[in-house]
Amino acid sequence: MSGIDLLAPLQCASATYPNPDYPIIQIRHDLAEADIALHGAHVTSYRPVGEKEVLYLSPDALYEKGTAIRGGVPICWPWFNAHPDNAEMPAHGFARNRFWELTGASESNEGAVLTFSLPCNEQTKELHPYDFELTYKVAIGRKLELRLMTKNTSLTTMPVGGALHSYLAVHEISRACVEGLASVDYIDTVGSESMQRQQEELLKFDQEIDRIYFNTTAAVSLETGFHRLVVDKGGSDSTVVWNPWIEKAAAMRDLPDDGFRKFVCIEAANARADVRRLCPEGVHVLSQTISIQSP
Ligand code: TA6
C-alpha cells in the first residue's frame, strides 16, 4: 500500500512529538519508505522495501527550531562549514536550521516525489544579502535522488556553496570502506593546519576523517557491512568524507559517544574553490543519488 502521510506527528527515541509545529512527512510506497522533516527539508530516513535503513539518524538528535537534526541528509547552504568572512554566522549556512514549505507531492509506480521551497525573506537577507529561489526535490524509490536548485533572482552575482551532507549507516566503522577516490587530491582538515594529500586506493576508518576531495565528479561506493552503496552526484567538483571519531563524538550532545561507529558522511559539496558564482537569473543544481548496489 502506498501513501504519503503529510505532516504526521514525530515519534522518535528521545521524545514523542505530538507537536504539530514540528511535522514529519512519512512516505510509505511499495518500493521504499522515507521520513522527511519540514524543518530543514531534512530527509531523516530512507529504506528501500526489503532492505535495511540506508541513513543514520542519531537517537540523541534534537528536534527543535533552529537546530540541525544530527543524521539523515542535512542541507548545507549557502556556504559549507564556516562562513568565509564572518565566524559569527552559523556553520553550514542556514537552510538546515529553519522550516521549509512543502510545495509539491506526487507518486507513481516508480516512487514518490516531494518538492520543498525555502522562502527568501528579511531574515535570510541578514545572513545572505541576496534574493534567491531555493527548491529541493526529493525522489523516493529504488534510489534516493536529491536535487537542490538555487536560482539567483538578485541583480548582482551571488556566491553559492554548501553540501548534501548525507549520514550513511554502517554496521561498524572499522569495517566500512570507501572506493572511488583513489589518487584524488584532498584537503585534510583534521587538526589545526589543513594539509593537502593524495588518496590511496581505499579509504578506511581508524581515526577522525575530515577530508575535502577536490576536482572530482566521480561516484563513490561505500561498503557498509549491510550493503554496498553507490553515491553519485551532480553539480559538484568536491566530495567531503567525514567521521568525527571518538573525541569529537564524545563532545557532541546530539550524538551518543559510540555513535561515530555507526555512520560515514559522504557529501556532494560545493566547498572551498568549488563555490559557484551565479550571475543574475543564473541557476545551479547540486544533486546526490544514493542507491544500494544490486549483487
Ligand atoms: O562535513 C564535515 C564537517 O564540515 C565537519 O568539519 C564537521 O563540522 C561536520 O561537518 C558536522 O558539522 P555540524 O555543524 O553538523 O556539527
Side-chain angles (χ1 to χ4, degrees):
M1 191 270 285
S2 295
I4 302 176
D5 182 356
L6 302 186
L7 314 187
L10 175 65
Q11 308 287 331
C12 60
S14 55
T16 298
Y17 278 69
N19 178 355
D21 293 338
Y22 200 101
I24 297 283
I25 298 160
Q26 296 183 322
I27 296 107
R28 302 297 179 255
H29 189 276
D30 292 341
L31 294 179
E33 301 188 347
D35 292 345
I36 308 174
L38 210 52
H39 189 268
H42 198 127
V43 180
T44 56
S45 170
Y46 165 64
R47 188 180 65 80
V49 168
E51 302 285 355
K52 286 195 177 295
E53 173 63 52
V54 169
L55 301 178
Y56 171 79
L57 181 65
S58 170
D60 299 342
L62 300 171
Y63 299 90
E64 54 195 38
K65 184 177 179 181
T67 301
I69 299 168
R70 179 68 63 192
V73 185
I75 298 173
C76 302
W77 187 92
W79 58 83
F80 178 80
N81 207 300
H83 186 281
D85 307 316
N86 181 351
E88 299 297 311
M89 292 291 198
H92 289 314
F94 52 84
R96 64 178 186 167
N97 296 342
R98 57 195 60 219
F99 286 99
W100 289 53
E101 292 173 358
L102 178 66
T103 54
S106 63
E107 60 178 312
S108 68
N109 293 337
E110 282 69 50
V113 179
L114 287 90
T115 307
F116 301 84
S117 170
L118 182 70
C120 174
N121 56 35
E122 290 317 307
Q123 288 76 28
T124 63
K125 284 187 186 175
E126 283 177 18
L127 299 166
H128 189 59
Y130 301 91
D131 290 309
F132 61 81
E133 290 173 6
L134 189 64
T135 306
Y136 189 46
K137 186 175 171 185
V138 180
I140 312 284
R142 294 311 292 174
K143 297 183 177 184
L144 175 61
E145 297 174 273
L146 307 168
R147 284 174 60 86
L148 182 66
M149 188 185 83
T150 304
K151 182 176 182 180
N152 177 11
T153 53
S154 309
L155 298 176
T156 57
T157 296
M158 176 173 88
V160 175
L164 297 174
H165 193 299
S166 303
Y167 286 71
L168 303 171
V170 300
H171 182 258
E172 166 46 45
I173 188 66
S174 58
R175 291 167 49 197
C177 178
V178 176
E179 288 186 60
L181 292 169
S183 306
V184 177
D185 293 333
Y186 65 89
I187 300 171
D188 184 344
T189 66
V190 174
S192 55
E193 293 292 321
S194 294
M195 299 288 290
Q196 182 165 328
R197 307 182 197 280
Q198 189 173 78
Q199 180 59 43
E200 295 159 9
E201 185 61 30
L202 301 177
L203 169 53
K204 296 190 175 182
F205 299 83
D206 57 6
Q207 61 186 312
E208 179 185 353
I209 296 290
D210 196 347
R211 301 178 179 180
I212 304 171
Y213 292 84
F214 50 93
N215 297 328
T216 175
T217 57
V220 301
S221 65
L222 172 65
E223 189 53 62
T224 69
F226 300 124
H227 37 231
R228 188 179 181 83
L229 293 178
V230 176
V231 185
D232 204 349
K233 65 174 185 174
S236 159
D237 293 339
S238 46
T239 295
V240 176
V241 180
W242 177 61
N243 182 279
W245 209 244
I246 301 167
E247 193 177 329
K248 289 267 176 69
M252 295 161 76
R253 65 180 182 136
D254 57 356
L255 183 72
D257 288 355
D258 63 352
F260 73 95
R261 296 195 172 280
K262 295 298 181 184
F263 71 87
V264 170
C265 283
I266 297 179
E267 308 160 37
N270 293 128
R272 305 277 182 112
D274 188 24
V275 168
R276 307 303 169 99
R277 298 188 59 77
L278 286 187
C279 57
E281 297 307 307
V283 172
H284 175 62
V285 178
L286 175 64
S287 64
Q288 187 179 60
T289 300
I290 302 169
S291 56
I292 294 176
Q293 190 168 53
S294 45

